[in-house]
Amino acid sequence: MDLILRNATLPDGGQQADIAIEAGRIVAIGPALNLKGVQEIDIAGDLVTPPFVDAHFHMDATLSYGLPRVNASGTLLEGIALWGELKPELTQQALVGRALQYCDWAVARGLLAIRSHVDVCDDRLLAVEALLHVKKLVAPYLDLQLVAFPQDGLLRSPTAFANLQRAIAMGVDVVGGIPHFERTMAEGAESVRLLCEFAAENGLRVDMHCDESDDPMSRHIETLAYHAQRLGLQGRVAGSHLTSMHSMDNYYVSKLLPLIREAGVAAIANPLINITLQGRHDTYPKRRGMTRVPELLAAGIDVAFGHDCVMDPWYSLGSGDMLEVAHMGLHVAQMTGQEAMRSCFRAVTETPARILGLEGYGLQVGCHADLVVLDAGDPIEAIRLRAARRFVIRRGVVISQAPPAHAQLNLPGRPGKVDFRLAK
Ligand code: FE2
């Protein structure tokens, strides 16, 4: 064996197991494997998980905080305007440099697959070229999936649809959209139809920014589900944000959820961003704005959590930590039950892996040996502690290491070390 991890705790709990890896794949999992590894690591009961997956990100904007100025109001719309100011000043070199730096952070956080939207409304397609280049550069250690995103509106921006088609021809993977930003509800619905038909004709997945609004009448998810079903796109379409659902009438939602389920459309909530950007027009009480995660899950709909933004025109914080995203999602959705907290962990691991269609993802024999060892005893503790990533492994090779989060205490009669862990 190339590598054996000894005494791992698996996300589903139960007995500790060894994980044997050869030629970049998991070849055996079981208690006290009678095998010899070239490298063996005793992880002493730490949690081992497949890597974190971010289903929704903007790598063309990341780490640009303060360029050319800070978002003063903090709103989504000022963020879009600010991004519009920055776009003409972007250079390939700066885009690639920032994206690579973010990917370094991601790897150190055990985040090894990212679906990033890339704005196609700049006729130069500078960001598309830059991120396609980055995708190639990081491919050995990180799966970067790109979405052609018409930030200024598919119909509202005169060259957006042509640019989107050019981006796809250049190698961008997924069809994006932003129906709530079109001029009218009708144009929003028309953009959804055009984009879904384009995706169906070209065998592509769809992931739209959909109803990122507090307006309960923003119902483009209904249209997205309709066309996904009509065109046979089940399992290949995601609606990102869906924040208007937070404010919708309960009766309407009771009809909507089964339609989304029937259409095989997944939902991607972005808790850090939704709790920050939504409800900005409210006085008090202020709406949380995040979509109805527990209800979507109860209806049998896949729900992933995305990071969306890190240090960009919309969000001034973040560091690529999907456990921070899960932590916020858990709080905003009040998902405090044991099973609910575990589903928040799945929302940043196996569910987004399914939405992205990642091949060989998982913790079974035959899967890629892409693994993260966390300084925690189970997934709930991992969220509680935003646990240190002790080892990040890609195709059987350790590509990042970090020390456990210990503190040395100097108190008479008390233990000398605190590690904050309880789960065993
Ligand atoms: Fe987004």
Side-chain angles (χ1 to χ4, degrees):
M1 299 296 120
D2 296 330
L3 172 65
I4 299 178
L5 300 179
R6 299 284 185 193
N7 306 307
T9 296
L10 306 182
D12 56 5
Q15 216 178 359
Q16 287 185 4
D18 296 348
I19 302 170
I21 294 162
E22 196 165 54
R25 298 258 177 188
I26 298 170
V27 292
I29 302 176
L33 290 177
N34 188 19
L35 296 166
K36 184 91 190 100
V38 175
Q39 185 186 8
E40 299 204 4
I41 305 173
D42 182 1
I43 57 170
D46 280 354
L47 175 66
V48 176
T49 174
F52 297 106
V53 180
D54 184 356
H56 188 111
F57 194 64
H58 294 264
M59 205 173 283
D60 49 359
T62 197
L63 309 193
S64 68
Y65 180 70
L67 296 176
R69 61 182 175 84
V70 168
N71 184 338
S73 69
T75 60
L76 170 68
L77 294 179
E78 184 175 343
I80 294 174
L82 211 168
W83 174 240
E85 292 170 33
L86 176 58
K87 262 194 272 190
E89 297 175 22
L90 292 174
T91 66
Q92 282 268 358
Q93 199 183 6
L95 281 162
V96 170
R98 288 196 285 262
L100 287 176
Q101 185 175 6
Y102 184 76
C103 289
D104 293 342
W105 294 8
V107 167
R109 294 295 196 193
L111 168 57
L112 299 187
I114 300 173
R115 173 180 276 184
S116 174
H117 297 252
V118 50
D119 188 357
V120 297
C121 288
D122 171 2
D123 290 340
R124 300 170 299 167
L125 294 185
L126 209 67
V128 172
E129 276 180 13
L131 290 193
L132 283 168
H133 181 55
V134 169
K135 179 179 168 156
K136 274 202 198 96
L137 292 177
V138 303
Y141 54 88
L142 188 147
D143 295 306
L144 178 58
Q145 188 178 80
L146 298 176
V147 185
F149 175 46
Q151 171 77 76
D152 300 333
L154 186 82
L155 300 173
R156 190 168 165 180
S157 170
T159 55
F161 201 10
N163 288 352
L164 182 144
Q165 294 180 49
R166 280 169 59 208
I168 295 291
M170 288 162 68
V172 170
D173 309 275
V174 178
V175 176
I178 186 164
H180 57 276
F181 195 69
E182 305 290 353
R183 285 193 175 86
T184 65
M185 288 291 176
E187 291 228 316
E190 176 65 359
S191 77
V192 173
R193 182 184 72 79
L194 289 168
L195 289 163
C196 286
E197 287 180 355
F198 176 73
E201 283 161 17
N202 292 278
L204 300 167
R205 291 174 187 268
V206 176
D207 185 343
M208 285 187 201
H209 285 66
C210 195
D211 304 323
E212 188 179 5
S213 160
D214 295 316
D215 174 6
M217 297 311 291
S218 187
R219 294 177 168 186
H220 297 296
I221 178 59
E222 175 187 87
T223 309
L224 183 62
Y226 169 73
H227 289 298
Q229 185 159 42
R230 178 177 71 84
L231 297 163
L233 290 169
Q234 287 90 342
R236 300 175 64 78
V237 176
S240 280
H241 290 296
L242 307 180
T243 51
S244 69
M245 197 187 296
H246 187 93
S247 300
M248 283 173 182
D249 174 72
N250 287 339
Y251 182 84
Y252 174 68
V253 174
S254 73
K255 177 199 170 198
L256 178 64
L257 293 179
L259 292 175
I260 299 172
R261 170 77 178 91
E262 282 169 34
V265 172
I268 300 170
N270 296 291
L272 291 164
I273 304 310
N274 300 150
I275 195 66
T276 305
L277 294 184
Q278 301 310 129
R280 288 276 178 160
H281 293 69
D282 295 352
T283 54
Y284 287 92
K286 284 184 190 290
R287 285 167 285 181
R288 298 171 188 225
M290 191 168 79
T291 195
R292 302 189 188 198
V293 175
E295 292 76 11
L296 285 157
L297 288 168
I301 297 159
D302 270 347
V303 182
F305 290 151
H307 206 316
D308 202 1
C309 301
V310 170
M311 301 194 74
D312 69 9
W314 297 274
Y315 189 58
S316 51
L317 303 175
S319 66
D321 185 351
M322 294 308 293
L323 286 173
E324 188 182 339
V325 173
H327 190 267
M328 180 59 80
L330 183 160
H331 284 81
V332 176
Q334 301 180 329
M335 293 175 66
T336 49
Q338 286 268 317
E339 177 50 28
M341 290 193 282
R342 286 178 181 275
S343 63
C344 289
F345 190 83
R346 288 194 291 274
V348 293
T349 52
E350 64 186 72
T351 307
R354 194 158 55 240
I355 292 170
L356 268 66
L358 294 180
E359 181 272 324
Y361 179 94
L363 202 41
Q364 291 95 37
V365 170
C367 290
H368 288 303
D370 298 349
L371 301 166
V372 180
V373 179
L374 293 164
D375 181 17
D378 65 31
I380 296 168
E381 189 164 74
I383 294 174
R384 177 173 67 84
L385 298 177
R386 271 80 82 222
R389 282 65 167 173
R390 298 282 289 112
F391 300 95
V392 179
I393 296 165
R394 172 79 168 183
R395 307 296 195 252
V397 177
V398 176
I399 58 171
S400 177
Q401 293 183 57
H406 289 168
Q408 298 297 323
L409 275 191
N410 188 17
L411 294 174
R414 299 303 304 157
K417 190 185 91 173
V418 170
D419 67 7
F420 310 99
R421 282 176 61 166
L422 280 178
K424 294 295 173 206

